[in-house]
Each structure stands twice: as C-alpha cells, then as structure tokens.
Amino acid sequence: MRRRWSFWRALAVSSVLAFAGCGPPPEAHVLRTADFRFVPAPNAIGSAELPQPPSGAERRSPVTLPHRWSAQLQGSAGTGWYRVALPQTDATGTPNAMFLPRVSSNAVVYLDGEWLGDGGSFGEAVARNWNRPLYFPIAPGRFAGTDRTHTVEVGVQGMGSLHDGLGPILFGPDRALRAYHVRALALQIGVAQVATLLSAVAALLFGALWAGLRREPVYGAFALAAACFCVNSLNYHVQTPPMSYWRFEWLVNVALEWFCACFVSLVLRLLALRRPRLERAAWLYAAGVSAVGLALPGPAFDRVAPWFHLVSMAIAASCLLAIVMHRDRLSRPELVAYVITGCVMLPVMAGDLATQIGVLPSTSLRLFPLVGAVMFVGFGAALMLRFLGTYRLAQQQNLELEARVAQKRAELEEDFRRLRVLERERAVGDERERITREMHDGLGGHLIATLALAEGNDERIAEALRDALDEMRVVIHSLDPWIDDVPGLLVATRARLEPRLASRGLRLRWAIGDLPPMRLGPSTSLQVLRVVQEAITNVLKHAAARTIQVRTATGHDGRRILVEIRDDGKGFDQNFASGYGLSNMRERARRLGGELEIEPGPTGTAVRLWLPTEPTDSV
Amino acid sequence: MSDATRHGVVLVEDDVRMRRRIASAVETEPRLMLRCAVGSLAEGRAALEREKPDVLLIDLGLPDGDGVDLIRAARHAWHDLRILVISVFGDERTVFRAVQAGADGYLLKDGSPEGIAGAIVELIDGGYPLSAPVARYLLRFVQSGVDAHTATDGPGAGQRVDEHPLTEREIEVLKLFARGFNTGEIADLLGLSPHTVIALGRNIHRKLDVRSRAEAVYEAVALGLIRMPE
C-alpha cells in the first residue's frame, strides 16, 4: 500500500515539474501590448500571396496580448496587424529570435518592414497554426544599423473562427528561445502526433480483432472510437489539411461527437448493458451535429461546436459514472484502468473546452491529445486483458472439448469393439446352433432310432449307443450358450443322466448349493462336463453303488469352488484308477486351473473337482 | 378307467421308429390315451383340430416346417393344452425356444418308456411347473433387476426395477428349481408338501408371466442386457 502511494506521489511531483518547465525563459522579453488594425478580407482566401502590412498612416488601436478577435470581430475573416515596438537590446551582435506561442490561424512577421518569416500558406487552405508555436530566428546582422528602435509587424490571418487572435510575443536571445520552442513544439505538436499514431494503431489493431471476432462488438466499438479520436487529434497538429479549411474544421469537430457515441457503445458493451434507445440517441446526436455542421457556414458552426462538445462530454461523464455503478461486471484491472482514465480525461476535456470558448487564456496548453493517448493505453490494455481472458477461456474450452471428443471416440471405439465381439459371438453362436441342429435332427435321430432297435436285442450295442448319445450331448451342452456356469452344466448333466441312473436303480442325491457367479466358455464347459460325466459313468459301471451324490460348495477363501461326486459303492475300479481314465480326469482338472482329488474308501468313493472362480478358458 | 377320464395325446414326430417308441410309451400309461400319431406339421395341425387333445407331444425338426410354429399356433388356440417338446439333447437353447413359443417342457427322446409316460403324467398333474433351464433364466431376470418386458423396446428400455412380484419363499423355490432340484427334493429341503411346491412353482410361472417373458428374456440375454449378477 505504501509503495503504491509513493508511486502516485512521484508521478504527481514529476508532472508538476514538467509543467513548471513550460514557462518562458527569463532572458526573453514578453511583449504584451501592440497597436492593432484589422483588414477584413471575407473572400480573401484563395490568394496565395503574403499579406503586406498596411501603410503607416491608418488608425490603429492599442490592444493587450494575448488578443482574441472573437469579442469584436465575430466570424470575420481577414488579417489582423499587430505593430509592436521591440525593446532595446544590447545583444545585437548575437542571434536573437521571435517566438509566437499562440497564433490563429497563420501569421507573417515583418521586422522593420522586412519579411522575417511566416507560418506557411495564406491561400486555400490557410496553414493551421493555432496549436503550433511559431519561431523566427533573427540573424545578428538584422540589427546592424544605427537605429536603436525596431518595430515588428505581425500579420495574423484569421478565418473567423473562435480562437482567431494572437498570443504574447516573445523576443530574446535565440539560444533561450530555441530551446523553449523545441519544448513547446514537443508538448503541443509532438504529443498530438503521438496521440494520432497511438489511436490509429489502436483502431487498426482492434479493428482487425473485431474482423476476426465479430461476436465481440466491444472491440469494434473501441476500434471506431479510436478511429474517431484519431481524426479529431489531427486538429492539434495538421498544418495543411488535404481539404478546405472549413471542411477540415467540420471533420475534426464532428469526429469528437462520433467518438462520444462510440464511447457510449463501448461502455454499454463493456458492462454488458442493453440500452438500445440510449445508444441510438448517442448515434443520432452525433449524426445530427454532423448535419448541423454541414448546413451551417464554417465560422457559425465553429462557434457552436464547443457547446455540442459540452453535451458529448456530459454523455461521456455519465458513461464513466455507469462504469462505477456497474463495477461488479468488470474485472478489477479493467475497472482501475477505466476509472483512472476517466478521472484524468474529464477535467482535461473541460479545461480544453474552457480554453476554446475563452474562459481560460488562449495560451493554456491543450492537453486533450495527451489524455487521449493515456486513454487509449488504459482502455487498450484493459481490452487486451479482456481479450486474453476470453482467449484463455476459449483455449481451456478447446482443451475440454478435445478431451471430450477423445473420450467419445474412445467410447465409440469401445462400443464398436464390443459390437464386433458381439457380432463374432453371434456368428459363432449361429454356426454352433446350425451344427447342433444338424446333429440333433440328423445324427441324433439316427442314434436314437438305432438305440430303439438294439434295446431288447443286444444290450451291449444299446449301451454303446447310449454312450455315444451321451457323448454327443456332452459336446452339445458345452456348446450351448445358455449353459455358461457350473450349476447350468450340472443341471444339464442331471437331465441327461437321470433316466439312466433311474433305470439302474441308483438314487441321486442332489446337493447343489449357491455358487459365486462365474461364466464359463465352451471349452471350459466341455472339460467340466467330461470330468463330471466320467466320474458318474465310472460309478454307473463299476461301483455297484446304491446312491450317488452330487454336491457343490465354495472354498473357504471364495476363490475356488468344489464339485463333488460321491458314491456308496465298493470303490474305484482298479483299472480305471491306475489307468487312462483317472489321469485323463486329472489332466483335465489341471488344464482348468483346478485340481482333482480322489478319496477312495471301502464304503464309497469321492471325486472332488476344485475349480478357480477366476475364469480360465485357456484350454 | 374309461376313455372319458383318460387324457388324450397327439404325437407329432417324423421319425417312424421314434414315433412308435413314444407311442408305445404313451400307451403303457393307463391315464393317457393316444389319439393320433402323425409325422408332419400339416397332419399335426389337422389332428389337433380334430382331436382336441389334452397333451401335444411334438418334435421341432419336421419335414414340412418347424414344430415351433405349431406350438405357437396351438398355444394360441387352446390355452389349456399341455405341450411337450421331444428333444434329442435337452439343450437349453432348444428348450427355451420351445418355451418361448408356448411349450410347457420337454421329453428326452431316449428316455425309458416309463420315464416318458411319467413325464407326461407329471405335466398333467401340474408337476412340471418349471424346468430347470427356464427357472435359471427367470432367476437371472429377477436377480439382474432388469425388467425383461422393457429391456428391448420402449422409452424405459433396460431400466432397473427393484420390485419384482415374487415373495421370499417363491424366490427360494425358483433358486432351487434353477439349480436342478425337482419338486420332491424342494419339498424335502424346505419342509413343504410337494403340492405346495407345485403351487409355488405355478405362482412363479404366473407372476413372471413366463411365456410372454420368455421372448424378452431371450432377447435381453442375447443383447447382453442380462448378465449373471455380480
């Protein structure tokens, strides 16, 4: 906080110093009295010739400088002649100079009747020097004569505008006045040129931004405001406009009204306020002033223009008030920029206006271009911040969008992959169904028909046929997409084998418990089916049992399940136990990622198949 | 037993030897009476019209068409008709397809004559309320919480329904049927009479509207909407 204060204090002190340096050098004589004579020339414009001082006999009236014509000569164009006696100077051997800080609109200077210098064209269009200090060096030789008194005639060409007249005349050593002139030129003309340049750059920059971002009219409003300001700022430094004097005056005055209208639009958009009527009124006002300016003769418009400006200024002031009132709609840096700009701009505009209408002395420094430069830097920076913010937001949204697109694409790919898997499964399923149907209607039918023939004739053939049918059913059940878990396989096995168990008088004890969910592929199903089938078939063929129990259970760790086939027969057939059958079953269990346990005993045998609950379909 | 109290059976099976085998199995059972045994869909349709039997035994693979078509038509025309599919393998796909069309269950072709006759009688007595494959899929439907009715079409497709109409006891029975237990075993396990189990089975059948649901469940499983509860 302290640092900020010290910054502002330093700024204030340095600006005071800068303006303090503006006073005339002490060595110079400030001449404030003159004999004045006005030569009206309402239609004189057009003659490129230098006006000549009138002959000495005519009547003159004494005036005090700075002298404004507007009081007596309202709207009259012509040449005002000021005769001034130079103070006696001893420094005739060194270069001297004359300096006219304020002349409107152009001046020619005669020293002792001899042309000393002029401010440019006196024809159409007359050089506009109202804000340009004129400086005329006097060579040492000019005072070489014996005469100690010297007279200067300053002919001021006025166009009948409000600020026609002459400021004080400075006379003194060239060295001091030259430096003073350079400084004054920089302050009055240089600053205005910088303002023109800055506003032109701002207009182009934001115009380009607007062209790219049509949906952000705030940049467009700013670009237009900058362009209007740019035109207005030409008033302060353009000496020879590329058009008639009054056309140019009209242009720069009107540009200020349009600038205010743009400013209203800009502020409304900055604050995201919708006041279409207010906006339209501002534009209509600018248009109306422009039309009035076209209708009125140049000098008349020049006289009323300050009052129009006053209205515009009030509008601009109310805009700044609106900014303060709706400050919550702006980011902090933006708000600071606007408020500072406004606080500097309004008093300066008021001061310039006061100078223009004669309330303040005509020699007062016109600060409006300087303030304009400040404003464009302030507003431009704030708008750039805004643009950067928008850009960053857009970039962030872009990234989010990209992420979402990537996610959607991944989802789509995943969907597509799933669809392909489903498609493939369906194709495989259809093929399996076709094969199953063929086996069902063809081979199956034949086997059953043959079984019917063999039954009662040759029980061994019948048995073999039943085995074949069983085998076929095992394969078909393993391929059945509807049978995809262990209970399903056991249910199918029961349906398949129960008639045969019943025909052998074997009692089936069914003890299938709740099992953790696990899905089995066809090849796993086939292995499980074969192990169970083989275990039961073995009981059927060899065990001479009365009861067979099929039981399931879940392991303690929940990671594997048990399928147990237990009988109450005389035990395993030795051939089977030691031979191919058992090792075959073990091998199948191993391939399933499980384990086969045999618990033989005199009162029955238990075959236990342990299976992992994690699906392994590597077989 | 007079003919009037015996249950009429129409058999549709194209394989002559198989037809004879099943026919004789039916004839051994005094409560059944074989009205007609034919070998084609057209003959079967005509026999149904003519005989109006209590039981239809039908093979699916017939020379002039799919038995499922006749099952569907017969189910539509005669609500009380008991329909059994004659299957070689008893594979769930075939059985489910038949149930979907309106069959009550299936017979294995190579079953013993007593077994075949017994299955028919059990069906008539209402002892065949739920075959294990059907029970398995009804259970899946109930446990997955997906309403199979809305699973495939309509605005609420695939929405979960936390409510299903079954009681705890009915779910218990359904689970046991799904694990392959038969009516008697379930009765023993739950300490109920077999008649109660049969009645519970019928309730499940009715509440879940098995036949109309079968198709939706089939579709839902095919679309992967119903998976094993995890």
Side-chain angles (χ1 to χ4, degrees):
Chain A
M1 210 57 200
R2 269 198 75 80
R3 279 187 60 178
R4 203 178 287 175
W5 271 118
S6 60
F7 168 74
W8 289 118
R9 203 180 304 157
L11 190 73
V13 168
S14 57
S15 54
V16 165
L17 283 177
F19 285 102
C22 289
E27 303 97 310
H29 300 275
V30 182
L31 309 175
R32 292 193 183 275
T33 52
D35 289 329
F36 176 65
R37 176 180 163 74
F38 182 70
V39 181
N43 303 312
I45 298 172
S47 155
E49 280 179 30
L50 278 177
Q52 293 295 322
S55 52
E58 79 290 337
R59 205 168 57 82
R60 294 185 180 238
S61 49
V63 293
T64 311
L65 301 178
H67 179 233
R68 266 178 186 270
W69 297 1
S70 47
Q72 306 101 32
L73 309 166
Q74 277 194 357
S76 319
T79 312
W81 291 98
Y82 297 85
R83 186 185 290 159
V84 181
L86 286 188
Q88 292 192 353
T89 174
D90 302 326
T92 50
T94 54
N96 284 295
M98 275 188 64
F99 180 72
L100 306 180
R102 269 303 157 186
V103 161
S104 184
S105 166
N106 198 6
V108 58
V109 179
Y110 295 89
L111 177 60
D112 295 335
E114 297 267 326
W115 177 85
L116 180 66
D118 60 65
S121 163
F122 279 82
E124 174 69 35
V126 174
R128 303 173 72 262
N129 290 317
W130 72 271
N131 193 40
R132 181 181 293 269
L134 296 179
Y135 165 80
F136 308 104
I138 304 169
R142 292 295 289 268
F143 294 129
T146 51
D147 198 348
R148 303 266 299 170
T149 59
H150 301 280
T151 312
V152 166
E153 279 271 14
V154 178
V156 174
Q157 172 84 38
M159 300 302 294
S161 68
L162 205 55
H163 43 58
D164 284 349
L166 180 66
I169 298 168
L170 270 66
F171 171 74
D174 179 66
R175 185 177 38 78
L177 279 179
R178 184 185 293 272
Y180 183 53
H181 170 243
V182 167
R183 202 161 56 230
L185 204 63
L187 263 175
Q188 287 168 237
I189 303 295
V191 162
Q193 284 171 337
V194 167
T196 302
L197 191 70
L198 275 179
S199 52
V201 167
L204 287 176
L205 194 69
F206 282 92
L209 209 57
W210 185 39
L213 292 169
R214 275 298 164 86
R215 286 190 309 169
E216 297 281 352
V218 69
Y219 302 124
F222 186 75
L224 282 176
C228 293
F229 183 86
C230 180
V231 171
N232 179 257
S233 69
L234 296 175
N235 185 28
Y236 295 84
H237 62 84
V238 166
Q239 207 173 9
T240 36
M243 58 190 81
S244 78
Y245 181 90
W246 287 116
R247 177 57 50 82
F248 189 72
E249 285 290 310
W250 173 82
L251 183 68
V252 295
N253 274 313
V254 156
L256 195 63
E257 311 302 331
W258 287 104
F259 167 74
C260 275
C262 294
F263 190 71
V264 170
S265 281
L266 172 66
V267 169
L268 287 177
R269 292 201 159 67
L270 276 176
L271 299 176
L273 291 173
R274 285 191 57 81
R275 301 277 189 282
R277 263 200 244 155
L278 175 66
E279 212 176 335
R280 208 176 309 136
W283 290 109
L284 278 176
Y285 177 70
V289 172
S290 308
V292 168
L294 282 178
L296 287 178
F301 181 57
D302 190 68
R303 225 158 292 280
V304 290
W307 304 107
F308 287 134
H309 296 341
L310 200 64
V311 173
S312 289
M313 218 184 78
I315 295 173
S318 57
C319 284
L320 285 167
L321 195 68
I323 287 183
V324 175
M325 277 167 62
H326 296 95
R327 56 188 173 278
D328 50 323
R329 296 187 173 209
L330 295 169
S331 71
R332 203 169 172 74
E334 270 185 300
L335 186 68
V336 168
Y338 298 147
V339 169
I340 289 178
T341 310
C343 290
V344 175
M345 200 168 75
L346 280 176
V348 165
M349 276 174 84
D352 274 18
L353 215 56
T355 308
Q356 201 175 348
I357 58 177
V359 175
L360 287 177
S362 64
T363 46
S364 313
L365 187 62
R366 295 295 191 94
L367 285 171
F368 189 60
L370 177 65
V371 167
V374 168
M375 190 194 86
F376 281 104
V377 170
F379 269 62
L383 278 184
M384 269 300 164
L385 281 178
R386 172 178 282 243
F387 173 71
L388 282 179
T390 322
Y391 178 73
R392 225 169 278 145
L393 191 71
Q395 219 173 14
Q396 190 185 334
Q397 281 171 344
N398 238 11
L399 285 178
E400 277 168 19
L401 203 67
E402 270 174 31
R404 265 177 32 211
V405 166
Q407 189 195 342
K408 272 276 169 282
R409 180 183 298 169
E411 280 174 19
L412 268 181
E413 274 170 7
E414 175 59 21
D415 279 356
F416 187 59
R417 195 192 60 76
R418 214 177 291 152
L419 201 68
R420 265 192 326 224
V421 168
L422 211 66
E423 202 65 28
R424 204 173 52 223
E425 278 177 1
R426 184 168 286 202
V428 170
D430 287 351
E431 188 58 14
R432 276 189 199 135
E433 190 178 1
R434 193 185 64 79
I435 294 170
T436 308
R437 209 169 40 237
E438 291 300 322
M439 286 169 80
H440 191 281
D441 296 347
L443 195 53
H446 285 300
L447 278 175
I448 285 175
T450 318
L451 176 63
L453 283 179
E455 272 174 349
N457 293 330
D458 190 330
E459 202 39 49
R460 279 180 311 160
I461 292 177
E463 192 62 25
L465 284 169
R466 281 192 197 101
D467 286 350
L469 264 171
D470 273 350
E471 180 59 28
M472 258 180 85
R473 284 183 182 134
V474 163
V475 173
I476 280 169
H477 286 163
S478 78
L479 290 176
D480 194 333
W482 292 83
I483 305 176
D484 59 356
D485 56 7
V486 169
L489 294 175
L490 295 175
V491 163
T493 305
R494 178 172 194 178
R496 193 169 63 240
L497 292 179
E498 195 157 30
R500 287 178 62 190
L501 297 181
S503 69
R504 297 293 180 87
L506 255 168
R507 213 170 83 81
L508 180 65
R509 286 180 59 199
W510 197 246
I512 306 302
D514 221 353
L515 288 179
M518 51 189 283
R519 303 193 84 183
L520 308 175
S523 38
T524 308
S525 297
L526 186 60
Q527 302 299 340
V528 174
L529 279 171
R530 284 204 195 284
V531 171
V532 175
Q533 174 94 5
E534 227 155 318
I536 295 176
T537 312
N538 188 58
V539 176
L540 269 173
K541 288 184 176 164
H542 308 290
R546 286 197 310 282
T547 308
I548 185 163
Q549 176 182 273
V550 179
R551 181 174 79 93
T552 62
T554 310
H556 293 302
D557 53 1
R559 302 243 299 271
R560 51 185 206 161
I561 60 163
L562 169 69
V563 180
E564 186 191 68
I565 293 103
R566 178 187 284 275
D567 65 71
D568 58 355
K570 60 179 167 45
F572 256 32
D573 174 56
Q574 281 310 303
N575 290 334
F576 177 78
S578 61
Y580 176 73
L582 191 57
S583 64
N584 204 18
M585 278 167 79
R586 282 192 201 283
E587 172 60 18
R588 289 187 199 284
R590 197 189 55 74
R591 269 192 270 167
L592 288 168
E595 200 185 334
L596 192 79
E597 291 172 2
I598 312 284
E599 191 192 288
T603 57
T605 310
V607 176
R608 292 198 196 94
L609 172 65
W610 289 98
L611 290 171
T613 49
E614 293 299 312
T616 52
D617 204 9
S618 56
V619 238
Chain B
M1 197 171 283
S2 74
D3 282 2
T5 55
R6 292 167 82 184
H7 298 283
V9 176
V10 163
L11 169 63
V12 186
E13 164 67 67
D14 58 323
D15 186 289
V16 181
R17 284 164 292 188
M18 185 51 59
R19 189 160 73 225
R20 202 175 298 142
R21 179 182 161 89
I22 295 172
S24 59
V26 171
E27 277 161 352
T28 54
E29 172 57 49
R31 288 176 60 192
L32 300 177
M33 178 160 168
L34 185 67
R35 301 272 190 203
C36 187
V38 294
S40 74
L41 209 58
E43 289 171 296
R45 195 171 285 130
L48 277 177
E49 294 280 352
R50 194 174 60 240
E51 304 291 345
K52 297 192 174 40
D54 300 300
V55 179
L56 169 66
L57 305 179
I58 183 164
D59 188 16
L60 293 185
L62 293 167
D64 57 343
D66 194 334
V68 167
D69 295 339
L70 185 55
I71 294 175
R72 196 172 289 118
R75 173 57 63 211
H76 191 72
W78 297 287
H79 191 74
D80 294 333
L81 181 67
R82 305 301 173 107
I83 303 171
L84 283 180
V85 168
I86 305 163
S87 168
V88 176
F89 301 117
D91 52 305
E92 292 196 9
R93 186 192 280 264
T94 307
V95 173
F96 216 78
R97 206 159 70 89
V99 169
Q100 189 184 323
D104 294 294
Y106 69 96
L107 288 175
L108 278 179
K109 283 194 178 181
D110 63 338
S112 62
E114 307 85 57
I116 291 175
I120 298 169
V121 169
E122 193 181 12
L123 173 67
I124 288 167
D125 291 343
Y128 207 125
L130 283 173
S131 67
V134 174
R136 269 160 53 72
Y137 286 98
L138 290 179
L139 185 65
R140 274 189 196 192
F141 147 65
V142 167
Q143 288 180 338
S144 69
V146 173
D147 187 344
H149 268 317
T150 60
T152 51
D153 53 6
Q159 72 187 17
R160 295 187 66 85
V161 282
D162 294 326
E163 296 290 318
H164 54 75
L166 298 190
T167 64
E168 293 279 320
R169 183 38 55 98
E170 284 161 353
I171 288 180
E172 213 174 351
V173 169
L174 181 61
K175 279 183 179 172
L176 292 173
F177 272 122
R179 281 189 226 138
F181 289 92
N182 62 32
T183 308
E185 286 163 349
I186 294 172
D188 287 347
L189 277 171
L190 300 182
L192 303 168
S193 78
H195 290 295
T196 312
V197 175
I198 289 168
L200 285 170
R202 251 193 232 120
N203 283 351
I204 297 167
H205 220 279
R206 199 191 62 244
K207 282 183 179 176
L208 295 182
D209 192 7
V210 172
R211 246 170 243 129
S212 68
R213 249 176 232 283
E215 184 148 17
V217 170
Y218 185 89
E219 286 298 324
V221 171
L223 287 170
L225 283 173
I226 297 183
R227 295 202 183 282
M228 283 299 280
E230 285 172 28

